[in-house]
């Protein structure tokens, strides 16, 4: 087993700096497009054979140090009673958005083990196919980001409806966040039981909140989730997290995954040397490739050089126009540039 990813998450000096990419299994890869065919992404995620194959193909195609289960943050919502589809190039669209307390009360409590059985069969098959080559990361959307999709009904630039909801209906917000928190804890617990070696919580859109609102309306729930998991390293991702870094750390993840808007060295300066950090090359640079990609990647590695708890990644998901060759080049650049440390 290549242990560099788990070593870095645990702040043990890894053999080389580990690297993997959010959305490493996606449309930019010919093998993914072939398996997906004309069906929606959700039907691939619900098909354990296909889901495990695209996850493993991505690891083989890129030579990364970790795989990630092929699922989507939206999957658990359907069984809670929130119908959605994922519109290509747009994102999730929800036909019955949540607008008030009675909508929140109507949400069903799910049993992930049975309601989302396909996710766990997918994990079992992915682990079989990986055959110990690299560790497998499990994941879930964080309560805030899931609530934001449920309230907005679709992608939104500034999440006005979500913010209006939490300011004007604080009790309904609390109930909603509690329901989602319980669901996420249970969903992740079973992922760990099925053998994922680390988990990542995606709070993709929470960067739109002020630090004070983050602390009141989000932090306690994310912290509860992290404190419920103790056997595997925990990664917390948030885009546009610069203003929130210190609060974000209070959720107590092992690794904070940040985007390109914050220099990686600043995370340690502001949050202390003991935190792990993941990121943060701009996905546009991975898509563009060439000298600028190499230059900025080296700069990131330079800033991270004295920190064993560092995982190289992009600041957000791989863009669909990215040539796979660029990602392979990044993997080699990171591995070659950091092997000599040991
Ligand atoms: O290798 C992997 O990382 C794939 C597994 C994965 C998917 N979604 C499959 C998928 C993961 C980790 C996710 C997480 C996810 N889904 C997030 C959090 C990460 C982030 O980007 O902030 C969010 C917000 C979603 C919701 C969602 N699903 C969006 C915004 C989209 C993009 C729509 C589009 O067409 O651009 C999806 C669809 C989706 N989920 C794709 C993949 C690979 C792209 C569609 C496809 O490849 O067919």
């Amino acid at each position: 087993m290549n242990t560099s990813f788990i070593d870095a998450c645990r702040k043990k000096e890894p053999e080389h700096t580990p690297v993997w990419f959010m959305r490493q299994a996606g449309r930019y890869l010919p093998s993914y497009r072939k398996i997906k065919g004309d069906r929606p992404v959700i039907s691939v995620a619900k098909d354990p054979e296909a889901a495990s194959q695209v996850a493993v193909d991505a690891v083989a195609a890129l030579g990364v140090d970790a795989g990630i289960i092929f699922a989507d943050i939206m999957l658990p919502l359907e069984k809670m009673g929130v119908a959605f589809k994922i519109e290509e190039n747009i994102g999730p669209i929800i036909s019955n958005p949540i607008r008030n307390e009675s909508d929140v009360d109507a949400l069903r409590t799910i049993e992930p083990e049975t309601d989302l059985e396909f996710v766990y069969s997918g994990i079992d098959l992915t682990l079989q196919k990986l055959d110990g080559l690299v560790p497998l990361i499990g994941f879930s959307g964080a309560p805030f980001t899931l609530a934001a999709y449920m309230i907005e009904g679709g992608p939104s630039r500034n999440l006005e409806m979500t913010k209006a909801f939490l300011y004007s209906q604080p009790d309904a917000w609390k109930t909603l966040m509690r329901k989602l928190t319980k669901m996420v804890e249970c969903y992740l617990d079973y992922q760990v039981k099925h053998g994922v070696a680390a988990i990542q919580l995606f709070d993709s859109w929470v960067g739109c909140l002020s630090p004070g609102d983050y602390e009141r309306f989000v932090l306690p729930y994310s912290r509860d989730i992290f404190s419920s998991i103790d056997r595997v390293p925990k990664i917390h991702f948030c885009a546009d997290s610069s203003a929130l870094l210190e609060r974000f750390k209070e959720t107590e993840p092992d690794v904070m995954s940040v985007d390109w808007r914050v220099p990686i060295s600043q995370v340690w300066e502001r949050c202390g040397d003991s935190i792990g950090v993941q990121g943060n090359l701009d996905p546009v640079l991975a898509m563009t490739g060439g000298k600028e990609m190499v230059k900025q990647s080296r700069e990131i590695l330079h800033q991270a050089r004295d920190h064993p708890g560092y995982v190289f990644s992009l600041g957000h998901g791989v863009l669909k126009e990215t040539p796979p060759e660029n990602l392979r080049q990044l993997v080699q650049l990171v591995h070659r540039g950091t092997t000599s440390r040991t």
Side-chain angles (χ1 to χ4, degrees):
M1 168 77 84
N2 168 349
T3 61
S4 61
F5 170 73
I6 297 296
D7 288 344
C9 291
R10 299 261 188 230
K11 288 104 193 169
K12 262 171 62 184
E13 189 82 30
E15 201 179 304
H16 53 245
T17 293
V19 43
W20 74 282
F21 304 104
M22 293 182 257
R23 297 267 168 91
Q24 62 192 18
R27 281 164 295 184
Y28 77 101
L29 268 187
S31 55
Y32 173 85
R33 292 198 298 269
K34 197 164 160 212
I35 290 175
K36 182 178 181 242
D38 291 333
R39 40 184 178 160
V41 59
I42 290 301
S43 98
V44 180
K46 287 181 175 174
D47 172 352
E49 181 55 48
S52 57
Q53 200 56 46
V54 296
V56 172
D57 285 347
V59 172
L62 304 176
V64 284
D65 300 289
I68 179 160
I69 64 172
F70 192 84
D72 193 89
I73 62 163
M74 301 302 288
L75 283 175
L77 301 190
E78 196 171 39
K79 292 280 167 138
M80 294 179 82
V82 180
F84 70 89
K85 54 184 192 305
I86 294 186
E87 215 56 82
E88 190 126 4
N89 301 321
I90 298 174
I93 307 286
I94 282 150
S95 46
N96 52 339
I98 299 230
R99 292 288 146 79
N100 53 44
E101 184 118 38
S102 63
D103 293 340
V104 174
D105 291 340
L107 289 171
R108 285 195 288 274
T109 303
I110 65 165
E111 296 292 344
E113 196 188 12
T114 43
D115 285 326
L116 298 165
E117 194 275 328
F118 53 86
V119 172
Y120 303 108
S121 313
I123 293 175
D124 296 346
L125 271 179
T126 310
L127 286 169
Q128 259 176 43
K129 291 179 184 177
L130 280 175
D131 196 22
L133 180 67
V134 291
L136 183 64
I137 304 168
F139 73 88
S140 171
F144 176 85
T145 289
L146 295 177
Y149 275 119
M150 290 159 97
I151 293 167
E152 301 287 333
S156 151
R157 189 189 285 258
N158 297 314
L159 303 186
E160 288 95 344
M161 283 193 271
T162 308
K163 295 204 277 188
F165 188 109
L166 64 83
Y167 295 136
S168 63
Q169 305 183 74
D171 291 336
W173 175 258
K174 245 186 221 165
T175 312
L176 176 58
M177 290 296 273
R178 279 210 197 106
K179 282 193 172 191
L180 287 168
T181 299
K182 263 184 84 181
M183 181 281 288
V184 171
E185 286 175 357
C186 194
Y187 181 49
L188 289 174
D189 180 46
Y190 276 103
Q191 293 187 24
V192 174
K193 286 192 174 122
H194 277 258
V196 301
I199 62 97
Q200 177 154 327
L201 191 65
F202 284 98
D203 217 349
S204 304
W205 310 132
V206 79
C208 71
L209 293 186
S210 70
D213 286 347
Y214 180 81
E215 185 162 350
R216 284 170 61 204
F217 297 110
V218 179
L219 198 154
Y221 307 97
S222 301
R223 186 164 48 206
D224 277 355
I225 291 170
F226 284 129
S227 75
S228 77
I229 299 162
D230 54 9
R231 283 188 284 154
V232 299
K234 303 163 262 193
I235 309 171
H236 202 0
F237 169 75
C238 168
D240 211 350
S241 61
S242 187
L244 299 179
L245 282 185
E246 292 82 359
R247 303 279 156 73
F248 197 38
K249 191 203 164 195
E250 287 174 38
T251 63
E252 298 186 14
D254 297 289
V255 178
M256 286 163 61
S257 187
V258 296
D259 77 8
W260 59 93
R261 294 175 180 92
V262 50
I264 210 110
S265 53
Q266 231 191 62
V267 186
W268 287 298
E269 280 159 28
R270 289 168 54 187
C271 297
D273 282 331
S274 63
I275 190 78
V277 179
Q278 176 175 279
N280 66 346
L281 189 75
D282 190 331
V284 174
L285 282 166
M287 178 182 79
T288 316
K291 282 188 194 147
E292 194 61 29
M293 173 182 87
V294 170
K295 178 171 168 260
Q296 296 208 26
S297 302
R298 290 208 172 116
E299 172 56 28
I300 292 170
L301 290 174
H302 182 71
Q303 291 186 24
R305 71 195 178 287
D306 296 326
H307 296 277
Y310 171 64
V311 177
F312 185 92
S313 197
L314 304 183
H316 209 156
V318 177
L319 297 167
K320 77 167 193 261
E321 302 79 5
T322 306
E325 192 44 44
N326 291 355
L327 298 186
R328 282 193 281 272
Q329 191 188 344
L330 278 176
V331 172
Q332 292 195 357
L333 181 153
V334 174
H335 285 173
R336 288 191 187 138
T338 58
T339 310
S340 56
R341 299 197 314 183
T342 47

